[in-house]
Amino acid sequence: IKMKSNFIILAFLFFTWIGYAQDIDSILDEASFNAEIENSKATARNQVKVNLATLFWKTGSLSYERQLSKRWTIGITANYRPKGTASFKSQIHDVFGNKYKSYRDYAFDVDQLEYGNWSISPEVKIYLGKSSAFKGFYIAGFVKYEAIDLDYDLPIEFDVHAIVPLDGSLNPWSGGVYIGYQWKLGQNWYLDWQIIGGNFGGGTLDVSAYQPLTEYEQEQIKEFAADIQ
């Protein structure tokens, strides 16, 4: 049986990036060397960043940012998480309740979940300070596409520990804004603190069970989809 349910994304960002910048466009013509040398010493127009904070939830994150003008930049971020158990299980338990106290009324058992995902997110930034891009406070707007692959063992009969293995996929689109601050640490090194923000969007959760199902088991899966929604 396959069930679909809509959902809303709401996330807050507390990411810290370490970035390396290099002016890859400063190939100087020998005849114009003196005229261009001061420009080549200006802030580099390209940055590659690694997000260290996402490693805490087993995700690798790489970003590229390109300066367009004094204050405006564009960029793109790619994230990848190999399939595995969920991070921050205790926080998820706080949302859905404690299964060891009331298992019959428990809507979602994070211990039965494995998932992996990748995402891509183009963005645009405006830096608000008196300095050029890559320095000081900024506001960023972005859109994001994500592909999530998940496995979940759904408890059907708690007394006898009967389960139905489920395969699922989720492909949401979302968009949002965030604010941050970036410091220049050295000639080519930066620290980017994405302070707070959020994104809103939606998608479809497809859940499938590839085995013969009784009418009761089908109803349990439908209830599960409704609970997750």
Side-chain angles (χ1 to χ4, degrees):
I1 184 170
K2 177 176 289 190
M3 294 300 300
K4 295 184 179 181
S5 65
N6 296 323
F7 81 107
I8 294 175
I9 305 170
L10 182 60
F12 291 94
L13 312 176
F14 297 92
F15 297 163
T16 301
W17 298 77
I18 296 296
Y20 177 79
Q22 180 66 51
D23 189 354
I24 60 175
D25 297 323
S26 59
I27 301 175
L28 303 181
D29 187 0
E30 183 177 355
S32 60
F33 180 83
N34 292 331
E36 298 288 343
I37 188 65
E38 292 301 322
N39 182 60
S40 70
K41 292 180 179 178
T43 301
R45 287 181 289 175
N46 302 274
Q47 286 190 343
V48 176
K49 305 177 185 181
V50 176
N51 191 331
L52 301 180
T54 58
L55 297 177
F56 286 102
W57 48 91
K58 307 173 186 177
T59 300
S61 185
L62 187 67
S63 178
Y64 170 74
E65 188 174 348
R66 166 78 175 181
Q67 183 178 356
L68 295 180
S69 64
K70 182 178 180 180
R71 298 181 185 276
W72 290 90
T73 68
I74 58 172
I76 191 167
T77 297
N79 298 314
Y80 174 72
R81 185 190 193 277
K83 183 177 285 188
T85 57
S87 305
F88 303 108
K89 289 184 178 181
S90 61
Q91 283 77 13
I92 300 177
H93 280 302
D94 290 341
V95 174
F96 288 101
N98 192 327
K99 68 177 181 179
Y100 300 107
K101 294 181 179 179
S102 56
Y103 211 144
R104 289 183 178 275
D105 300 324
Y106 199 67
F108 183 77
D109 186 354
V110 66
D111 292 325
Q112 305 302 323
L113 173 68
E114 288 192 354
Y115 75 94
N117 71 294
W118 64 266
S119 68
I120 189 165
S121 178
E123 65 179 30
V124 59
K125 287 183 182 178
I126 179 171
Y127 287 81
L128 305 177
K130 295 181 180 180
S131 301
S132 61
F134 301 149
K135 294 180 183 178
F137 279 105
Y138 62 79
I139 299 175
F142 66 93
V143 294
K144 183 178 183 180
Y145 173 76
E146 189 169 10
I148 304 171
D149 180 27
L150 59 91
D151 296 328
Y152 183 75
D153 290 335
L154 176 65
I156 298 295
E157 296 288 350
F158 297 108
D159 295 336
V160 295
H161 302 290
I163 62 171
V164 173
L166 300 177
D167 293 328
S169 64
L170 191 60
N171 301 101
W173 282 92
S174 63
V177 295
Y178 64 91
I179 61 173
Y181 192 95
Q182 184 160 265
W183 292 268
K184 186 175 182 179
L185 303 180
Q187 182 177 359
N188 290 319
W189 292 95
Y190 292 78
L191 176 65
D192 185 357
W193 179 29
Q194 294 182 0
I195 301 171
I196 192 170
N199 61 314
F200 177 85
T204 300
L205 171 64
D206 293 330
V207 180
S208 302
Y210 297 98
Q211 67 180 53
L213 297 173
T214 65
E215 184 175 344
Y216 172 75
E217 290 171 336
Q218 294 179 43
E219 289 301 319
Q220 291 293 103
I221 295 176
K222 292 177 182 178
E223 291 180 10
F224 169 72
D227 290 337
I228 295 301
Q229 181 176 346

